[in-house]
Amino acid sequence: MGRSRSGAGGRGHHPRSDAGFRLPGRSECHGDQAQRRRKRTRPRSRSAPTREAAGEARPGDGGSAHAKVRVPGSTASRPLPPGGDRGGCAPAPDRLGAEGPLYVQFAQKAVIEWEGKLLLVKKSQDDPHQPGKWELPGGRLLQNESPDEALVREVREEVGLEVDPGRPLAVWSWRLGSEADAPTVVAIVRHCTANDVAVDMSRHDEDDFIDKYAWFDRDSILGLDLIPSAREPLAMALANL
């Protein structure tokens, strides 16, 4: 048998790759030299992240590990604040936290109709927000309550009636106070069906500040001394009945 030409001892022949074909344009070299040469000539992958893109700290940068974001139209970059990149976009500090967090509460008011009249309750003079004003019965949602459960409970507490909450008629909002952290109340007016009309106010909480109740004709309701922020939504609710 003749000598194999695939070994390293064949002088004047190009080395072969592991797959058995010649490597064009390469001079004779041993395996470890060829490996080092391939490492030096191997192009850097474009998909490999740089140390800056991966958020790693570079020597001399004070140990900062914040990721950097490229500013459109500029060659400069700026570090993102702690807490992540928020979906790849830097947060706007002028809009986040400039006026503090927004505290929101949810409330519902009940339109209870009987023989063409609607039930309203009057705030007592001790009410810290709307003394002596008329409004619909209802109140705010408590933790772990559904909207229906909350409205049934509030009507029962304030006027002693059992109601079936129905469709929404209007929505509005107001603030409880003028302080920076005063909550905003978002309220919905809902049409309710009462099982009876025997009003009983003996079970309402003192914090409700309810003084009295009355049944009013539709046409006379907007002429009452209503809570100012509730006048427009009450008019809308009457129009949607």
Side-chain angles (χ1 to χ4, degrees), residues 144-179:
N144 299 323
E145 279 187 321
S146 70
D148 284 2
E149 291 171 345
L151 187 53
V152 168
R153 175 187 54 78
E154 284 288 348
V155 173
R156 182 189 301 123
E157 290 176 355
E158 291 187 357
V159 294
L161 299 182
E162 297 295 328
V163 297
D164 295 323
R167 61 188 176 91
L169 301 173
V171 60
W172 83 106
S173 65
W174 69 90
R175 292 195 67 195
L176 284 177
S178 58
E179 298 82 3

Side-chain angles (χ1 to χ4, degrees), residues 206-225:
E206 294 182 359
D207 292 341
D208 292 334
F209 298 103
I210 297 176
D211 187 32
K212 62 179 67 175
Y213 76 94
W215 296 89
F216 294 96
D217 293 328
R218 291 190 187 185
D219 297 338
S220 63
I221 289 178
L222 296 181
L224 299 173
D225 187 13

Side-chain angles (χ1 to χ4, degrees), residues 32-51:
D32 58 342
Q33 294 176 341
Q35 185 177 4
R36 288 196 298 269
R37 185 170 298 176
R38 284 196 297 270
K39 287 183 178 180
R40 289 197 300 267
T41 59
R42 184 179 300 166
R44 186 174 182 178
S45 174
R46 293 186 178 181
S47 61
T50 63
R51 293 173 63 90

Side-chain angles (χ1 to χ4, degrees), residues 48-67:
T50 63
R51 293 173 63 90
E52 291 183 7
E56 299 179 3
R58 297 185 304 170
D61 66 352
S64 173
H66 299 331

Side-chain angles (χ1 to χ4, degrees), residues 6-127:
S6 61
R11 299 185 61 183
H13 297 286
H14 294 285
R16 296 177 183 270
S17 68
D18 295 338
F21 57 86
R22 294 184 183 275
L23 300 176
R26 291 182 180 272
S27 60
E28 181 181 352
C29 59
H30 294 291
D32 58 342
Q33 294 176 341
Q35 185 177 4
R36 288 196 298 269
R37 185 170 298 176
R38 284 196 297 270
K39 287 183 178 180
R40 289 197 300 267
T41 59
R42 184 179 300 166
R44 186 174 182 178
S45 174
R46 293 186 178 181
S47 61
T50 63
R51 293 173 63 90
E52 291 183 7
E56 299 179 3
R58 297 185 304 170
D61 66 352
S64 173
H66 299 331
K68 293 188 176 182
V69 61
R70 184 67 61 183
V71 180
S74 171
T75 58
S77 61
R78 54 189 176 89
L80 287 174
D85 60 358
R86 297 184 182 273
C89 299
D94 293 340
R95 297 183 60 188
L96 297 179
E99 299 179 357
L102 176 64
Y103 300 98
V104 177
Q105 298 179 359
F106 179 70
Q108 297 174 102
K109 299 295 182 178
V111 170
I112 304 171
E113 192 173 11
W114 173 65
E115 294 184 352
K117 299 179 181 293
L118 270 61
L119 178 65
L120 276 75
V121 294
K122 186 178 182 181
K123 290 290 189 179
S124 68
Q125 294 298 325
D126 297 329
D127 185 276

